[in-house]
Amino acid sequence: MLAEFSPPGTAPSPTSRYEGLRSEYCLSGHPTLPCNVLKFKSTTIMLDCGLDMTSTLNFLPLPLVQSPRLSNLPGWSLKDGNAFLDKELKECSGHVFVDSVPEFCLPETELIDLSTVDVILISNYHCMMALPYITEHTGFTGTVYATEPTVQIGRLLMEELVNFIERVPKAQSASLWKNKDIQRLLPSPLKDAVEVSTWRRCYTMQEVNSALSKIQLVGYSQKIELFGAVQVTPLSSGYALGSSNWIIQSHYEKVSYVSGSSLLTTHPQPMDQASLKNSDVLILTGLTQIPTANPDSMVGEFCSNLALTVRNGGNVLVPCYPSGVIYDLLECLYQYIDSAGLSSIPFYFISPVANSSLEFSQIFAEWLCHNKQTKVYLPEPPFPHAELIQTNKLKHYPSIHGDFSNDFRQPCVVFTGHPSLRFGDVVHFMELWGKSSLNTVIFTEPDFSYLEALAPYQPLAMKCIYCPIDTRLNFIQVSKLLKEVQPLHVVCPEQYTQPPPAQSHRMDLMVDCQPPAMSYRRAEVLALPFKRRYEKIEIMPELADSLVPMEIKPGISLATVSAVLHTKDNKHVLQPPPRPAQPTGGKKRKRASDDIPDCKVLKPLLSGSIPVDQFVQTLEKHGFSDIKVEDTAKGHIVLLQEAETLIQIEEDSTHIICDDDEVLRVRLRDLVLKFLQKF
Amino acid sequence: MPEIRVTPLGAGQDVGRSCILVSIAGKNVMLDCGMHMGFSDDRRFPDFSYITRSGRLTDFLDCVIISHFHLDHCGALPYFSEMVGYDGPIYMTQPTQAICPILLEDYRKIAVDKKGEANFFTSQMIKDCMKKVVAVHLHQTVQVDDELEIKAYYAGHVLGAAMFQIKVGSESVVYTGDYNMTPDRHLGAAWIDKCRPNLLITESTYATTIRDSKRCRERDFLKKVHETVERGGKVLIPVFALGRAQELCILLETFWERMDLKAPIYFSTGLTEKANHYYKLFIPWTNQKIRKTFVQRNMFEFKHIKAFDRAFADSPGPMVVFATPGMLHAGQSLQIFRKWAGNEKNMVIMPGYCVQGTVGHKILSGQRKLEMEGRQVLEVKMQVEYMSFSAHADAKGIMQLVGQAEPENVLLVHGEAKKMEFLKQKIEQEFRVNCYMPANGETVTLPTSPSIPVGISLGLLKREMAQGLLPDAKKPRLLHGTLIMKDSNFRLVSSEQALKELGLAEHQLRFTCRVHLHDTRKEQEMAMRVYSHLKSVLKDHCVQHLPDGSVTVESILVQAAAHSEDPGTKVLLVSWTYQDEELGSYLTSLLKKGLPQAS
């Protein structure tokens, strides 16, 4: 059985299945937001459902408060002065942006028929953002598996996203510019934007709820049987609350799917590495996006820049997701603010899901690192942000409207989304604080290029600090991990098999393993190298009792098995053969064909050799006389002259030639078999 | 013959000191390690000498599993591990791990500080004992060793309560601990998949009860509390700090809010405040409604319920007090009871089961004159009410769980013998399975016949599967192969492969039979006639006439030859190998009958 592995997306008709290999669409999938489909033992498994949101960087920001600057941007026209695109495209500080509802780049949906996907395995809440597109619009009828924190926090991320976009209704949905002939004429980066025809606007909350209702909750090390053929198991990956890697295995093959893992000690449960051992194939995704930055020193820089700005009377803006690294940042600040003399500075966390995120983080003790778990035994909340809230140092609001506008004091620190700077409350603060060099924006999320994120806000007076904190595995950790767990084959996105384009001399910034990793790119299909030779079968106890083992060599025993094979739900069972039917009186007239034996009944193979002297003695003992033995080149011929029978005996063969005397033939056969072993 | 053996050291035809030994496929597991609230002598703990007379606990037991934090399931644990001596792993869920040591400490304090018992376990022993605990997550498969695995299922009952599946190879036992099949105000219902264990060990506290609707019980409870408070009486509700307490608090809290009542509600001592905090942190273990709404309102943050001070018991006016422990056998609830018992305006509501020997059990069975310590007699004038709020499955619930898990056998523990008898009959009738109810120290032995998993070579399996697709699937088809057993590695391969792997050559055994037929026709014509004859008889077989004049039926070769002496006789040589013996032999006898005359 061939196990196939097809990156991004969806099931092809048999003929088109390998078309991807021709790589007509040389498009790179997002290595940290994967969406792969694995065909394994007649099961179709989608691994993650990541949504590439970098597409939104091509759009104008959605301001919460009417922004004269953004609404008065000049329309863009072609070099020849043709201005038919000026409604859709606006020029802003030398860049061209699409003035429309922002759109996301979906996983491929044409490569494979997504309605044939049996299950979707989610590794962490960042890798499920495309779920509603897949479960609601492709005919998908399967089950999605994820841990409880993944689902709860994933729901919050989706809720925030939908809220950010629906809060600022935009009449226009630009589509003219996507025309291939027109796109060619546009300036970079629009010209080079990929797959624009598949870009879609955000889903609705209704679609989110429907998608999430298809999820079944699972726990780490839970063994989940799929159709009796495959077992999948989530393992702790150490990257985020409830984040998992997955083992996909049958009794004789094992695929490990590694996605978004971390070996650093932050808040989640540590990564389970041992269970990844003995894999035939290890699929490696979700490595750090900033391999050259050390998360610890980034956190240090974050704190010192924050303190510096605030002490000088400026405000700090931290564009962030509502869950994840923010918990660690708040914990650092908790330890840092008093010593840095920041205790009077208000910290604001603004997100429609801020409260939920802070509350949820405190109830998932079982998914946290050991230190945090022990707090619960006291009982105390595992995260210190509970105390920051209690002491009024940290305040959270659903949005800048309402209570926040009354409480707002400057200088302050604001944590808010979205990190793309294209929607959410962060747009307001960029507009508000961008003009003063006292203020600082600190980028901690690694998903978006900060320069591109800032482009529509230029020129900018505020300071920009780039401290990307990406706790996912770096290449040194990967090679250590691979040495440790020793998979037979590694499969990874092509980006990991060469140094980053900007640092092409850094040969250390790529996956290094033996045999070399098999790489894939968007819209490509890979055949996975399996050499499966066995399948599990159960021998029923009654049959087992009837077997007669025979020791052939020291420590090795053999037993011939004749049994009936039953296969149900992909499980094989061997049962004792039925007893031979009793001859049923002669009432019914037999047809000639009833007597014809079933040639499919297999007789055992024979092995051994026949010592001719002993054989002759045995013949004599059984009443044969007048035996003559002749030597031949390869053995002997035993002649039973009276019976006109000839037995040729060679090392590996015996040939009995006789008249059509069945009784005689059977007697001779049994005497020969005495010297041979059956297999 | 493999077998599963079960011996209750406690909870055999009894409620209290749950402790059940299970031996399965050579592994020994101890399920729960509880104390008995009805005794304060040796009988309060299970009799571990059953194990220790033949050796050390650690050598005998592969692991200990604790189902939930109630003391009748974990109360003997420090005694067992630190005083008798056990160093192996102890498995429990995380909420149990968090709450269990607090209850143990509470228990120790009452026993040592209040009752002055000597030779009891110490605080340090509780700590040392808890160090041996390994936390188990719901549905996680925990590999105790290479062969023994355990898996926890949600049991309702109290926060963190779990049922456990114990599995070795294809043999398994499920132990329910205490469970509840109906969701309540703060917990969900127990659930298990169709795991078809060899044995289901279930509690049977309410083996004969079918409880009326919960709503009625709740309304009744609220009415009684309300009436008593209205006439200025005091209501005592003895509870265990965790479990029913939170359930009833939620109930009263919402009632007080709705009715805008002013009478104070108290919760005794600091333990319970702390307890509520655990509930807030372990929200994922509560029911769906609480999990969904906890961000807006955490149900365990009570507005109307305040901490109790000992002095309040003597204050005039109505009040409701939740006090521990639940069976009135010691501690604060007993103190308050003694103060209030003499006044008929007051009321005590027993919301749960009381084991024999406790004050709770005595007043529930109608006793109104109680002999207290120091030969004092306490006359009970206050009203005594019993309301079953115990989160145990009732008879219907137990039957439902048996139906869910589909066990091959059922064994009842944690119940009274008489009631068990009734349930045992019911289970045997309805599910057609054997049901056992051993007493403490009595062993039940169940023979098992596990199937043996082996690896079958893909080639052999595919060959068989391909044939299975042919018509005539009704005839059972025999698979033939060779089982190679090397150490504990069992592989089933084709005979050819077995020979090859062992470096042995095949020995071919061939037969050639001469069939003499009177016929003057030429050999070629003979062959032609043999061909058409066989072709017409053997419709399902591949019959071929080869260019060299010979005829084949499958792999059997038939050749016509002249007789060396008699020109009127022809000889048919039929040749086949041992593997084709049936067909070869059949062809010989068929040809011997002669060929039909050409029509």
Side-chain angles (χ1 to χ4, degrees), chain B residues 374-386:
Chain B
R375 268 184 260 142
Q376 229 181 315
V377 173
L378 179 70
E379 197 172 343
V380 180
K381 289 190 186 150
M382 77 197 295
Q383 296 174 59
V384 177
E385 293 287 344
Y386 173 70

Side-chain angles (χ1 to χ4, degrees), chain A residues 512-532:
Chain A
D512 177 25
C513 60
Q514 276 310 322
M518 301 173 66
S519 70
Y520 64 83
R521 58 173 89 175
R522 188 174 167 120
E524 203 171 68
V525 182
L526 275 190
L528 294 186
F530 277 114
K531 286 197 200 108
R532 188 161 69 96

Side-chain angles (χ1 to χ4, degrees), chain B residues 108-146:
Chain B
R108 190 198 67 80
K109 268 192 204 144
I110 291 174
V112 178
D113 302 350
K114 297 251 169 74
K115 292 190 188 162
E117 285 191 43
N119 200 22
F120 206 77
F121 53 75
T122 63
S123 298
Q124 189 55 45
M125 287 179 184
I126 298 176
K127 282 187 192 126
D128 293 340
C129 164
M130 292 311 290
K131 282 182 195 149
K132 296 169 185 170
V133 171
V134 181
V136 177
H137 305 252
L138 280 185
H139 300 165
Q140 171 193 17
T141 300
V142 178
Q143 216 68 49
V144 176
D145 58 35
D146 284 346

Side-chain angles (χ1 to χ4, degrees), chain A residues 475-494:
Chain A
F475 290 99
I476 299 167
Q477 292 164 331
V478 164
S479 69
K480 236 175 109 185
L481 174 74
L482 292 179
K483 276 200 190 99
E484 183 80 22
V485 305
Q486 301 214 321
L488 291 182
H489 298 276
V490 174
V491 171
C492 67
E494 63 172 358

Side-chain angles (χ1 to χ4, degrees), chain A residues 96-333:
Chain A
V96 177
F97 295 93
V98 183
D99 186 14
S100 160
V101 186
E103 295 179 336
F104 307 118
C105 180
L106 270 54
E108 284 290 323
T109 51
E110 302 302 321
L111 192 64
I112 179 172
D113 176 4
L114 287 180
S115 68
T116 64
V117 171
D118 298 308
V119 296
I120 302 178
L121 308 180
I122 303 291
S123 336
N124 60 68
Y125 46 76
H126 285 299
C127 291
M128 63 186 279
M129 296 300 279
L131 199 59
Y133 294 115
I134 305 295
T135 59
E136 305 310 298
H137 300 289
T138 62
F140 171 80
T141 55
T143 310
V144 185
Y145 292 97
T147 64
E148 182 164 6
T150 299
V151 177
Q152 297 297 0
I153 297 172
R155 177 196 298 276
L156 297 183
L157 292 185
M158 291 179 174
E159 217 176 290
E160 184 189 64
L161 189 65
V162 172
N163 186 295
F164 280 165
I165 292 188
E166 289 184 352
R167 213 159 55 170
V168 190
K170 191 134 186 153
Q172 174 160 278
S173 187
S175 56
L176 273 180
W177 71 275
K178 291 186 186 176
N179 185 310
K180 272 206 162 66
D181 296 326
I182 295 171
Q183 199 196 347
R184 272 190 297 123
L185 308 172
L186 304 180
S188 282
L190 278 179
K191 184 171 71 177
D192 311 315
V194 293
E195 296 276 296
V196 293
S197 61
T198 69
W199 290 13
R200 291 287 175 274
R201 32 201 309 182
C202 191
Y203 31 74
T204 64
M205 217 39 223
Q206 199 185 355
E207 288 168 315
V208 170
N209 287 329
S210 174
L212 295 180
S213 72
K214 297 178 171 98
I215 300 184
Q216 199 166 320
L217 298 183
V218 293
Y220 290 151
S221 304
Q222 178 176 350
K223 296 176 177 173
I224 304 140
E225 295 283 341
L226 304 181
F227 317 108
V230 179
Q231 194 182 61
V232 297
T233 308
L235 305 173
S236 178
S237 80
Y239 165 58
L241 263 175
S243 71
S244 8
N245 293 321
W246 291 85
I247 301 290
I248 301 121
Q249 63 188 339
S250 68
H251 286 279
Y252 290 92
E253 309 115 298
K254 175 169 173 179
V255 178
S256 291
Y257 174 59
V258 174
S259 166
S261 301
S262 178
L263 292 171
L264 299 180
T265 317
T266 58
H267 59 274
Q269 221 184 84
M271 177 181 180
D272 177 354
Q273 296 182 68
S275 305
L276 299 172
K277 282 185 182 168
N278 302 320
S279 304
D280 297 286
V281 171
L282 185 143
I283 302 167
L284 183 66
T285 67
L287 303 185
T288 176
Q289 301 185 76
I290 323 285
T292 48
N294 172 336
D296 276 336
S297 53
M298 287 296 127
V299 170
E301 239 172 84
F302 169 81
C303 287
S304 57
N305 278 296
L306 183 144
L308 192 69
T309 305
V310 174
R311 272 195 219 109
N312 292 332
N315 300 294
V316 176
L317 178 61
V318 187
C320 64
Y321 294 114
S323 178
V325 173
I326 184 169
Y327 302 146
D328 299 318
L329 292 179
L330 288 175
E331 185 154 4
C332 285
L333 291 172

